[in-house]
Amino acid sequence: MKTYLDWSEYQDAGMGDAYADIPKTGGNFAKAVAVCINSRLCESSGKGVMCPSFRIDEKGDHSTGGRVRLLKAALNGELGEAPFGHPGLAEAMDLCVSCKGCKRECENKVDMAAIKIEYLAQRNAASGIPLRTRLFAHLPLWLYRWPWLGRLAAWRNRMPWLARLGERWLGISARRRLPEPTARRFSPPLAEQDPASGEGVREVVLLVDTFTHYFEPEIAHAALDVLKAGGYRVIVAQPGADAADPARPLCCGRTYLAHGMIGEARAEASRMLAALQPHVAAGRPIIGLEPSCLLSLRDECLALGLGEAAARTARQALLFEEFLAKELAAKTLRLTFKPLANPALIHGHCHQKAVGAMKSVRKILKLIPDFDFELIESSCCGMAGSFGLEAEHAEVSLGMAELALLPELRAAPNATVVAGGFSCRRQIAESGAGRPIHLATLLQKALA
Ligand code: SF4
Ligand code: SF4
């Protein structure tokens, strides 16, 4: 079986273990699936169970281990001629929101988010790529080529009949609002475009992802303000002059990965890596604001077969909060903050939690004098990229948000809500439980 991601990291997994139960086909991908020891801990009841889809309906097939059992059956030839299109497996995999909760919490670290990318690539290869998948996956390209898409999204959001048409034709839930790109995309201030270095000034690179660039450019400006206040010279990552279409913003390929379009994801990631290599070679930290985008440089990009450039970049890629916390630990952070009036509730993006970045968020928030804040104990917000917009998932998506996140927010209506992910902020704002901001925006407000 041809696989689309590089699974060589698992080549020794389960070898010499008579009980490993590695499926007959699938090579190293099968070994990654067989990492699960079928303990069924992910199917126990209780608040802390990792998998949000299992927490919603408590069906075994909708847990991490349940997905593994179905995948093993598929790889062992038990699900028929077209195993990846098998309805039971397809439903189980579609309900995985790629939160990486299992990678962090499963006792054997099953990486179902990565397995789902391979699964979707296999399904796309077997039965073609549906129109809705193409629409969502190519979003960065559409936003660049067709600036009028913002007006179309706004019309659709204001005209229920158009939303109903979109649900019937494309399967995009009429109940949910589409994100509306801003008319003023991110444009770096001129000083940040100049990579010349000053004596003794620390240079850092800011990665402005697709979502920040087209929907919330104010977050990038807030990050620039905070970093500049800390004395850093900020270079905004840009495509090189020799890149194809140098005016097109950089993109990590996340929307393609999320839909199993590996070739397109690889092309975007390569373009990004090419642009970052001079900065990586100069030892500059690469700082990102959107967790799923920045962290794909440290995770999924390494499985795209992009060689040493990907590995070198991964070592220097940091979330905004991780960078600040690292500087704090090294006693080189020169930021002072003033008190803020409101208390705050903090919702971590699943991928932030998966890499332990909430510890960094906590350390940085403690620098704000007398700041009253609390980290919300919750799993996925349920939006998960395009998942919450899909007609068949809209209700499950809201159910996931209601498990813990929305009740906690409603209980503290005056709190400032901080959320790291674009999808999380949309889920919260749409539910009317707050008007969330990014950590960079909060710190910008708190600059002394
Ligand atoms: S996914 Fe992890 S927790 Fe669930 S059955 Fe497998 S090993 Fe156990
Ligand atoms: S990535 Fe999240 S939703 Fe998917 S199996 Fe793991 S815990 Fe469940």
Side-chain angles (χ1 to χ4, degrees):
M1 179 183 131
K2 176 193 169 190
T3 55
Y4 294 87
L5 290 178
D6 175 5
W7 294 96
S8 56
E9 166 192 358
Y10 288 91
Q11 62 189 348
D12 297 326
M15 298 312 283
D17 177 357
Y19 299 100
D21 192 22
I22 297 169
K24 291 185 201 123
T25 66
N28 291 333
F29 170 58
K31 291 177 191 166
V33 172
V35 157
C36 167
I37 53 171
N38 201 23
S39 65
R40 299 204 180 218
L41 275 185
C42 50
E43 291 171 59
S44 52
S45 55
K47 205 178 167 198
V49 178
M50 63 197 185
C51 186
S53 57
F54 178 76
R55 287 179 65 190
I56 287 285
D57 60 18
E58 302 204 344
K59 286 186 185 164
D61 283 357
H62 299 165
S63 69
T64 313
R67 291 184 179 102
V68 165
R69 289 192 291 277
L70 286 161
L71 283 161
K72 280 186 175 179
L75 294 169
N76 280 325
E78 295 161 18
L79 299 187
E81 289 291 297
F84 296 112
H86 183 275
L89 176 59
E91 181 187 290
M93 294 308 288
D94 284 349
L95 285 173
C96 166
V97 287
S98 303
C99 66
K100 304 193 186 183
C102 41
K103 189 173 182 180
R104 179 182 52 149
E105 288 174 24
C106 152
E107 59 201 310
N108 248 22
K109 309 273 175 258
V110 172
D111 190 353
M112 189 55 69
I115 292 170
K116 180 172 176 177
I117 296 172
E118 179 70 48
Y119 163 79
L120 289 174
Q122 297 288 341
R123 200 166 84 184
N124 289 342
S127 44
I129 306 173
L131 177 60
R132 186 181 68 185
T133 299
R134 288 180 194 275
L135 274 179
F136 286 141
H138 285 302
L139 183 74
L141 208 57
W142 306 146
L143 289 167
Y144 170 65
R145 285 196 187 147
W146 301 332
W148 47 263
L149 269 185
R151 285 200 299 282
L152 184 64
W155 285 337
R156 179 268 181 206
N157 287 343
R158 282 157 194 68
M159 296 183 195
W161 65 269
L162 206 51
R164 283 196 296 275
L165 217 57
E167 177 158 334
R168 194 172 319 147
W169 286 353
L170 299 168
I172 298 173
S173 172
R175 292 169 62 189
R176 309 305 302 262
R177 289 175 65 80
L178 291 177
E180 295 175 24
T182 166
R184 299 184 58 164
R185 303 164 168 197
F186 176 74
S187 166
L190 282 179
E192 275 71 39
Q193 288 175 317
D194 176 8
S197 59
E199 193 68 31
V201 174
R202 179 98 192 271
E203 292 182 337
V204 299
V205 175
L206 183 68
L207 204 58
V208 181
D209 57 275
T210 293
F211 303 98
T212 306
H213 186 97
Y214 292 102
F215 295 94
E216 298 177 303
E218 65 280 3
I219 294 175
H221 289 290
L224 284 168
D225 284 352
V226 173
L227 291 167
K228 284 195 286 184
Y232 303 98
R233 176 173 186 77
V234 189
I235 302 166
V236 176
Q238 308 270 22
D242 54 346
D245 199 354
R248 183 164 71 84
L250 294 172
C251 169
C252 64
R254 161 61 55 191
T255 57
Y256 293 117
L257 283 168
H259 293 94
M261 293 171 67
I262 311 278
E264 289 84 348
R266 188 177 291 117
E268 287 297 331
S270 311
R271 187 168 177 267
M272 168 83 86
L273 292 177
L276 293 179
Q277 287 323 286
H279 303 303
V280 171
R284 297 177 189 125
I286 313 291
I287 302 172
L289 300 163
E290 176 62 32
S292 59
C293 297
L294 184 280
L295 294 173
S296 69
L297 290 179
R298 296 219 304 249
D299 193 347
E300 290 87 349
C301 274
L302 301 176
L304 289 173
L306 295 169
E308 194 44 37
R312 274 196 306 266
T313 308
R315 288 193 285 272
Q316 279 168 237
L318 292 165
L319 286 168
F320 179 67
E321 59 272 20
E322 290 177 320
F323 170 73
L324 296 180
K326 206 170 163 204
E327 292 289 280
L328 180 67
K331 300 191 177 7
T332 48
L333 188 69
R334 288 188 277 143
L335 276 172
T336 46
F337 297 108
K338 63 186 179 197
L340 290 172
N342 273 8
L345 283 174
I346 321 295
H347 169 69
H349 181 286
C350 295
H351 296 180
Q352 267 179 307
K353 290 185 233 169
V355 299
M358 297 313 288
K359 287 196 288 282
S360 300
V361 173
R362 188 188 289 277
K363 280 181 194 155
I364 296 306
L365 290 179
K366 280 188 174 170
L367 296 177
I368 302 175
D370 304 319
F371 191 42
D372 177 9
F373 69 93
E374 198 182 316
L375 269 54
I376 301 173
E377 280 290 325
S378 62
S379 62
C380 181
C381 71
M383 185 58 88
S386 61
F387 180 85
L389 295 177
E390 295 161 4
E392 69 278 24
H393 297 142
E395 194 160 335
V396 180
S397 157
L398 291 167
M400 287 178 183
E402 288 293 350
L403 285 171
L405 174 61
L406 297 183
E408 293 240 20
L409 295 179
R410 286 192 204 105
N414 297 323
T416 301
V417 182
V418 178
F422 174 69
S423 299
C424 319
R425 289 190 293 277
R426 285 192 43 242
Q427 181 81 314
I428 294 168
E430 257 204 60
S431 67
R435 295 178 63 189
I437 57 173
H438 190 278
L439 175 70
T441 311
L442 184 90
L443 296 185
Q444 182 192 39
K445 286 180 201 289
L447 283 176

